Amino acid sequence: MDADALWVNARLLTFDPKVSGPCGLRDGWALAVRGGTIAAVLPPDAPEVRAFTGRVTDCGGKWVTPG
């Protein structure tokens, strides 16, 4: 994974119609960021999340929404 930072333990509103939750909710997922742009949205148990060695921010279950 090519990312500068990882935000973990976030409640992500993806608005992805393929996700069955309200507004495409991904609860407890991770957001990989590269150069200020979203690089990936990952489940918390993804190998990329476990192996990441860069800057990690724990969102503490807070909402992350498009904006």
Side-chain angles (χ1 to χ4, degrees), residues 31-52:
L31 189 66
V33 178
R34 174 80 179 161
T37 301
I38 296 170
V41 176
L42 303 162
D45 59 349
E48 299 91 345
V49 172
R50 291 192 307 269
F52 188 73

Side-chain angles (χ1 to χ4, degrees), residues 1 4-8 30-33 42 48-49 52 55-57:
M1 173 179 59
D4 305 319
L6 194 64
W7 297 7
V8 298
L31 189 66
V33 178
L42 303 162
E48 299 91 345
V49 172
F52 188 73
R55 187 180 78 229
V56 176
T57 300

Side-chain angles (χ1 to χ4, degrees), residues 7-11 27-29 56-64:
W7 297 7
V8 298
N9 192 23
R11 299 186 82 195
D27 199 3
W29 279 44
V56 176
T57 300
D58 186 342
C59 294
K62 292 188 170 96
W63 291 94
V64 178

